[in-house]
Amino acid sequence: MKAMYNTMIVNDMEESVAFYKDICGFEIDSVYDLPNGAQITLLKSGEHTYVELIKDNVHEVGYYSIGMDVEDIEKEIEDLKSKGVEILLEPTKTSVGSMARIKDVNGVNIVLIQHNPEFFK
């Protein structure tokens, strides 16, 4: 596993994107419009470092999760189960690959993602 992105729930997408672009030097990688007016903006710094900003009406504003890139999500989940880790979301197909979710001992969400090979092109 390797850390790939951090996810924050934001109050104002435009203001948040401006901060990460203009102050921190990130570039917009992609934007996804979701049902109910929700939106995801993925900002990139370097080759594989991302900040994911989510604006929705469900989650509280603030830090949400760390995203871990994995080679084989099924193998990782089986390994975590054997170590007694509670799996909150079993591997699920997404538009970029497959994802699963666990929490660390402090309650922080860890999202495991196995990306489709074309994601990095």
Side-chain angles (χ1 to χ4, degrees):
M1 280 188 251
K2 67 178 178 182
M4 186 167 173
Y5 66 90
N6 288 288
T7 300
M8 269 99 32
I9 309 301
V10 301
N11 197 25
D12 183 313
M13 183 64 80
E14 187 175 307
E15 181 180 60
S16 299
V17 167
F19 176 84
Y20 283 97
K21 279 180 52 192
D22 302 340
I23 305 298
C24 299
F26 282 71
E27 297 176 3
I28 294 176
D29 180 77
S30 50
V31 175
Y32 304 93
D33 291 317
L34 304 174
N36 300 322
Q39 186 178 49
I40 296 174
T41 300
L42 199 57
L43 297 128
K44 187 174 185 178
S45 174
E47 190 173 345
H48 298 299
T49 302
Y50 295 91
V51 168
E52 179 181 43
L53 305 176
I54 298 176
K55 168 99 173 78
D56 67 17
N57 297 318
V58 177
H59 300 93
E60 286 187 41
V61 171
Y63 186 74
Y64 180 73
S65 70
I66 182 168
M68 301 290 235
D69 190 42
V70 299
E71 300 260 337
D72 183 338
I73 199 162
E74 298 291 339
K75 182 178 179 294
E76 291 289 346
I77 290 300
E78 288 309 311
D79 184 49
L80 290 166
K81 283 180 180 177
S82 75
K83 294 175 180 174
V85 175
E86 180 184 4
I87 309 304
L88 301 175
L89 176 67
E90 292 285 340
T92 304
K93 296 285 183 201
T94 69
S95 61
V96 298
S98 295
M99 68 178 274
R101 186 169 56 90
I102 64 173
K103 284 196 187 239
D104 77 1
V105 296
N106 299 296
V108 174
N109 287 300
I110 299 175
V111 177
L112 307 177
I113 273 203
Q114 178 181 334
H115 288 91
N116 294 329
E118 56 274 2
F119 179 80
F120 296 111
K121 292 181 181 181

